[in-house]
Amino acid sequence: MNPRSAILSVLGSCLLLTTVFAQNPGATELPNAPSHKASQPQQPPAPAQPAKPAAPPAADSSPSGAQKNPPQTSTPQPTTPAPPAQGEDETTTTIIRTVNEVNVVFTVTDRHGHYVKDLKKDDFQVIDDNRPAVEVRSFARQTDLPLQVGLLVDASNSVRDRFKFEQESAIEFLNQTIRPRYDKAFVVGFDVTPEVTQDFTDNTEALSIGVRGLRPGGGTAMYDALYFACRDKLLKAEQTGPVRRAIVLLSDGDDNQSHVTREEAIEMAQRAEVIVYTISTNISGSLQRGDRVLERIAEATGGLSFEPFQLHDVANAFAEIQDELRSQYALSYKPADFRSDGRYHTIEILAQTHKNLRVRSRHGYYAPTQ
């Protein structure tokens, strides 16, 4: 071989090796983009067998797009994604078991309005969207269930006349209702905006200070305050077991500043499973438009509305609410055709073995969405 041929041969070998190396990037690309799908075809056996079964649960178990975050935090340690995926799978399983159950708190009264507290599960029938429930899974008389109570006090200009007396009545109600180390309550005053004067606590003295700290003034955004109390306080409140959520709303019902509508506020209360009791501050001696609004809110959520035209009737209204909170039943049931479609479902509970009994509960619920 002449010198020129030898040189060409060596150059050709080098070019061939360079081409082969370029077609097989190897480890130079994988560390830089281990979470990208584009790098996976370079390892055909892994996606087909061990890697693929482990990947979908981590993505599917996250309801809010969390599948994008784990690769970023666990890239340096390939073994760490497995435990979160298992934890998420267990959480998802729990949700699936409970999401098709509906919880309802309700009261039963006789023809004279007296509470009936000694009924049993077989005394009731549950109708969901005009169809009998498949199964009542739990039932209890909830006289001792922990309470989470929100006191919402209208502090607008329109309620100045007897504001002081209503404050003292509210303080007495909280003192009689909230049990230390068991129940919790918070206080919100509202005019154009809601203001938390005392957050969740079981300390009745702190609650009293929160009530006395309210000062009337400004317009009325009652719907906004109710929406806020349900969404940002009760719905997000920490709980370790079943609780009863209730709001006591003192107002004249005349809303002129809210950004949400009455029905949107009611919907949020229903989603948070909150019973709303309303006490009108109207002192005209006759029912006004605002009283009708308060009645609508209470009725839709399974509560009661009070129109205490006399001052002493305000204290009586608080006393009756306290009595009712200790005289309720709670059950959970499986609907006949449950679908996670976000749709509103009606609820009707019948005392089928007793005549002349009235069962009062929220009118319905919103199914969750997936």
Side-chain angles (χ1 to χ4, degrees):
M1 178 181 298
N2 57 46
R4 181 176 181 179
S5 298
I7 292 172
L8 291 175
S9 177
V10 170
L11 290 174
S13 300
C14 292
L15 179 62
L16 178 61
L17 289 174
T18 303
T19 303
V20 172
F21 181 78
Q23 292 177 345
N24 185 18
T28 58
E29 292 184 7
L30 290 179
N32 295 330
S35 61
H36 293 307
K37 300 296 182 184
S39 64
Q40 297 300 328
Q42 303 300 329
Q43 300 177 355
Q49 298 177 7
K52 190 171 183 179
D60 293 344
S61 61
S62 174
S64 58
Q67 64 271 22
K68 297 181 181 179
N69 296 329
Q72 298 173 0
T73 57
S74 59
T75 296
Q77 300 178 2
T79 60
T80 55
Q86 293 175 1
E88 292 172 1
D89 285 346
E90 292 174 1
T91 302
T92 304
T93 302
T94 302
I95 293 174
I96 291 173
R97 285 198 302 268
T98 59
V99 78
N100 62 351
E101 290 185 7
V102 180
N103 301 306
V104 189
V105 175
F106 60 97
T107 57
V108 183
T109 53
D110 59 21
R111 66 176 68 185
H112 304 293
H114 300 143
Y115 295 112
V116 180
K117 308 177 185 180
D118 58 352
L119 299 178
K120 299 177 176 58
K121 180 176 75 171
D122 294 338
D123 293 323
F124 300 99
Q125 182 184 22
V126 181
I127 307 297
D128 185 293
D129 267 359
N130 299 315
R131 298 181 63 184
V134 173
E135 176 188 5
V136 175
R137 292 184 168 176
S138 67
F139 176 86
R141 290 186 289 272
Q142 301 291 18
T143 56
D144 292 323
L145 200 65
L147 295 172
Q148 290 181 345
V149 178
L151 178 65
L152 272 61
V153 180
D154 189 338
S156 65
N157 278 319
S158 59
V159 298
R160 284 179 179 273
D161 293 337
R162 56 182 189 181
F163 191 73
K164 186 68 174 178
F165 182 84
E166 288 161 354
Q167 283 178 300
E168 295 306 315
S169 297
I171 290 171
E172 181 63 20
F173 164 76
L174 293 171
N175 287 336
Q176 295 295 325
T177 303
I178 302 304
R179 297 163 293 182
R181 299 180 300 279
Y182 202 65
D183 304 317
K184 289 187 177 181
F186 64 94
V187 180
V188 170
F190 64 91
D191 43 28
V192 293
T193 57
E195 178 188 3
V196 179
T197 57
Q198 175 56 55
D199 210 338
F200 272 113
T201 183
D202 62 351
N203 186 325
T204 54
E205 181 60 30
L207 291 168
S208 299
I209 295 173
V211 174
R212 291 195 176 98
L214 298 171
R215 296 290 182 269
T220 307
M222 181 182 69
Y223 306 144
D224 285 355
L226 179 58
Y227 192 95
F228 163 79
C230 292
R231 183 194 65 179
D232 296 319
K233 303 304 297 179
L234 289 163
L235 193 58
K236 296 180 180 180
E238 180 182 356
Q239 61 183 81
T240 57
V243 297
R244 274 175 299 165
R245 295 170 174 163
I247 281 178
V248 180
L249 172 61
L250 280 81
S251 177
D252 59 7
D254 290 330
D255 190 301
N256 54 26
Q257 294 285 339
S258 284
H259 296 86
V260 302
T261 66
R262 179 191 68 185
E263 295 307 309
E264 287 173 333
I266 289 174
E267 177 182 338
M268 183 52 64
Q270 291 171 331
R271 291 186 184 279
E273 299 182 2
V274 174
I275 301 174
V276 182
Y277 299 93
T278 63
I279 300 177
S280 174
T281 58
N282 167 30
I283 58 172
S284 68
S286 61
L287 293 177
Q288 303 294 315
R289 185 185 66 85
D291 295 320
R292 301 302 182 192
V293 171
L294 296 174
E295 289 177 358
R296 163 64 183 153
I297 294 172
E299 182 183 10
T301 59
L304 285 172
S305 61
F306 299 88
E307 294 84 26
F309 296 131
Q310 303 298 323
L311 282 180
H312 64 83
D313 292 333
V314 175
N316 293 338
F318 275 113
E320 187 166 345
I321 294 172
Q322 178 191 352
D323 191 16
E324 169 150 320
L325 289 173
R326 305 300 182 198
S327 308
Q328 295 173 318
Y329 298 89
L331 60 78
S332 65
Y333 69 91
K334 180 181 179 181
D337 185 24
F338 186 87
R339 297 179 183 180
S340 298
D341 53 10
R343 190 172 60 85
Y344 181 78
H345 296 250
T346 60
I347 299 175
E348 185 178 11
I349 302 176
L350 306 174
Q352 57 185 356
T353 60
H354 293 75
K355 295 181 180 180
N356 302 317
L357 293 184
R358 181 192 176 199
V359 180
R360 178 164 40 82
S361 70
R362 57 190 171 117
H363 289 179
Y365 65 96
Y366 288 86
T369 56
Q370 290 185 345

